[in-house]
């Protein structure tokens, strides 16, 4: 493969310009006090040379469509013109001086690792060719598990709740270090992970398996481990969503949730992971679009709440790093105030980075106007910019803003990284039920398997579908498999088909996905069980499915449906690996949530 793409070799003039402007202000822990003070003065001088428009731009982290900074596809040019009023990422930087850009798969930023590296380099070149050259902080939501923007051939790790089930802080640290090193190789230097929310509400529609679990102390340990892993890999970690999004039944993408915890409950339940992240030296913290009346009687979303962000996060918890808003396009932050007031109120509350406003021109001009009319002082803006520039300097972006294809090839999706992901995933797979010691299945005894179930869309767009992945893995392990996808809401006709297909099989594997009280997945499992063929259910998202199912002989939980977790489940089913996971959340009875069916820490293994 040709490695010398033009985007990987910055011009000498660009590097000389940025070096002269920032003099390689790579702030490291080893810096002397005099050196650190000198670096700080360089950053302050850089800020003093910025126009007000450039300063306001540094506060924004914006999406942009396309695989290239200068030559995206025409459909992406059209989308950029419609939503942002620019054609390309380079034009976005020229017009609005944005300090950050966030990548999304749906914005077609993440085709493959070489393309991502070239896009990152193109963005940095556009930023460093400006009259005041400042590198861009490129960010992404790469939590792993059910939220991943970059898929194969990059390494996909188990998600948070899976790691919580594994219970190993060293695995959590290793997973973050591998993931972080791959992101850094592609020019992405801020990851909006790890999730620090404590998922105490099984009905939570937005967090769920994105959380490490329901025990604040266990979650705190996992968060600290991942912060360490990411940041040692040269990535700014971001714990989210402050002050804690774990106990809500409303999705803040579509509404404004209220958390009814008292201040004492917040201190005991929600605060510990954020305290642990701060103690671990977290680089950035993301806000939540939630109302917590006990913390702010004005009932403003936390993103816009000065008592929460400045009073609690900055003053009580002593955090002086970067605070980034959750997406300003989410309904939760837009319900109370207009899109022109939201970014201004976020800055006044204590935020530094304003993430992904629905209309950048409205948000950018509103902040500019607020500074010009004195509602926000220029000194307040400078305070946020200094935090942002300190982070860019710490990450070495002034010194080494570009990446190379060679580094991508040496780092992304390597055999050792993929093997690490497989081993970690095996340690997360949780066995909840094994009547009569049905598992492990031996291909010599039960060679013919039917695989049915839900085929949820891949989190990264590159893995699955789950039934095919499970069947493929089991075939490699010596079984003969038949695949029949039945979906998340199987029809009566499809259930009849599955029952007919089970005839003569030695066992049926059913992938279940977020089973509800009215879900026809329940009928599918009970009808299959009634045939007398042993049924094994695999909960491919929430572990709570088992509380609503009956008739199956064995149940596994994988906490996600990316290939790495499904392949690990297949190895456990076949006895190639032992189930080692333990529930990081309780599974309550469906008819009486006050009663716990399977407590935290529950998990079976093989004799």
């Amino acid at each position: 493969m040709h490695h010398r793409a033009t985007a990987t070799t910055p011009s000498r003039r660009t590097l000389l310009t940025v070096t002269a402007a920032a003099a390689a202000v790579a702030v490291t822990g080893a810096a002397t006090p005099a050196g650190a003070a000198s670096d700080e003065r360089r950053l302050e001088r850089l800020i003093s040379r910025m126009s007000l428009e450039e300063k306001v731009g540094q506060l924004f982290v914006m999406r942009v469509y396309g695989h290239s900074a200068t030559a995206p596809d025409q459909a992406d040019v059209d989308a950029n013109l419609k939503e942002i009023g620019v054609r390309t990422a380079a034009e976005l930087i020229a017009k609005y001086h944005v300090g950050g850009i966030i990548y999304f798969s749906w914005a077609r930023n993440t085709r493959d690792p070489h393309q991502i590296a070239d896009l990152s380099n193109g963005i940095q070149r556009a930023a460093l060719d400006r009259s005041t050259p400042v590198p861009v902080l490129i960010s992404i939501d790469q939590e792993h598990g059910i939220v991943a923007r970059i898929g194969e051939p990059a390494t996909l790790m188990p998600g948070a709740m899976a790691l919580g089930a594994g219970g190993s802080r060293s695995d959590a640290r290793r997973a973050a270090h591998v993931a972080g090193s791959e992101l850094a190789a592609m020019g992405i230097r801020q990851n909006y992970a790890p999730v620090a929310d404590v998922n105490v509400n099984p009905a939570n529609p937005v967090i769920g398996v994105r959380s490490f679990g329901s025990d604040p102390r266990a979650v705190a340990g996992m968060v600290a481990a991942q912060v360490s892993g990411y940041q040692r890999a040269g990535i700014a970690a971001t714990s989210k969503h402050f002050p804690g999004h774990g106990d809500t039944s409303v999705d803040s993408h579509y509404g404004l949730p209220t958390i009814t915890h008292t201040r004492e409950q917040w201190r005991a339940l929600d605060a510990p992971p954020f305290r642990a992240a701060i103690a671990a030296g977290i680089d950035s913290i993301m806000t939540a679009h939630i109302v917590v009346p006990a913390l702010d009687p004005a009932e403003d979303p936390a993103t816009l709440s000065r008592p929460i962000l400045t009073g609690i996060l900055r003053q009580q918890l002593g955090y002086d790093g970067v605070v980034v808003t959750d997406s300003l396009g989410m309904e939760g932050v837009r319900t109370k105030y207009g899109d022109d007031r939201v970014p201004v109120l976020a800055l006044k509350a204590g935020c530094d980075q304003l993430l992904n406003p629905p209309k950048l021109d409205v948000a950018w001009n509103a902040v500019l106007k607020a500074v010009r009319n004195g509602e926000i002082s220029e000194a307040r803006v400078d305070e946020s910019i200094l935090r942002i520039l300190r982070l860019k300097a710490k990450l070495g972006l002034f010194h080494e803003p570009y990446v190379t294809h060679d580094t991508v090839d040496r780092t992304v999706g390597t055999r050792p990284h993929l093997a690490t992901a497989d081993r970690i995933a095996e340690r997360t797979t949780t066995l909840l039920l094994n009547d009569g010691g049905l598992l492990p299945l031996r291909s010599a005894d039960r060679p013919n398997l039917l695989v049915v179930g839900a085929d949820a869309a891949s989190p990264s767009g590159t893995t699955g579908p789950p039934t095919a992945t499970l069947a493929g893995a089991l075939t490699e392990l010596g079984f003969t498999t038949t695949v029949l996808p039945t979906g998340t809401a199987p029809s009566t006709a499809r259930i009849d088909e599955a029952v007919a297909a089970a005839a003569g099989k030695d066992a049926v594997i059913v992938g279940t996905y977020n089973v509800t009280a009215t879900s026809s997945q329940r009928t599918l499992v009970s009808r299959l069980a009634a045939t007398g063929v042993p049924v094994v259910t695999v909960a491919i998202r929430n572990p709570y499915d088992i509380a609503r199912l009956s008739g199956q002989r064995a149940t596994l939980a994988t906490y996600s449906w990316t290939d790495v977790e499904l392949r690990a489940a297949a190895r456990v089913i076949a006895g190639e690996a032992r189930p080692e996971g333990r529930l990081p959340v309780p599974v309550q009875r469906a008819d009486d949530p006050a009663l716990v069916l399977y407590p935290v820490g529950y998990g079976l293994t093989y004799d």
Side-chain angles (χ1 to χ4, degrees), residues 71 87 103 124 272 287 340 417 447 455 601:
R87 296 165 55 83
Y103 288 170
Q124 298 299 4
T287 67
D340 58 334
H417 283 183
D455 277 340

Side-chain angles (χ1 to χ4, degrees), residues 197-202 204 207 244-250 257-261 269-270:
D197 301 316
V198 180
N199 201 69
V200 294
N201 186 343
N204 193 325
I207 306 300
H245 208 318
D247 189 7
T248 169
S249 56
V250 174
T258 296
I259 307 286
T260 56
H261 291 181
L269 280 173
D270 303 291

Side-chain angles (χ1 to χ4, degrees), residues 478-547:
F479 295 91
T480 301
T481 58
T482 303
V483 180
L484 179 68
T486 48
T488 54
S491 65
T492 302
R494 200 64 168 165
I495 292 170
D496 289 343
E497 246 182 287
V499 167
K505 296 296 186 292
D506 297 307
V508 183
I509 315 296
V510 185
T512 66
Y513 184 96
N514 292 8
V515 178
T516 62
T518 57
S519 173
S520 55
Q521 292 178 74
R522 300 176 71 188
T523 310
L524 172 70
V525 171
S526 61
R527 291 266 321 271
L528 285 167
T531 65
V533 177
V535 172
V536 178
T537 62
V538 181
I540 64 172
R541 183 168 175 165
N542 288 338
Y544 312 113
D545 288 1
I546 189 172

Side-chain angles (χ1 to χ4, degrees), residues 9-29:
T9 49
S11 69
R12 179 170 167 75
R13 185 183 71 78
T14 300
L15 278 179
L16 287 173
T17 305
V18 72
T19 304
V25 280
V27 182
T28 69

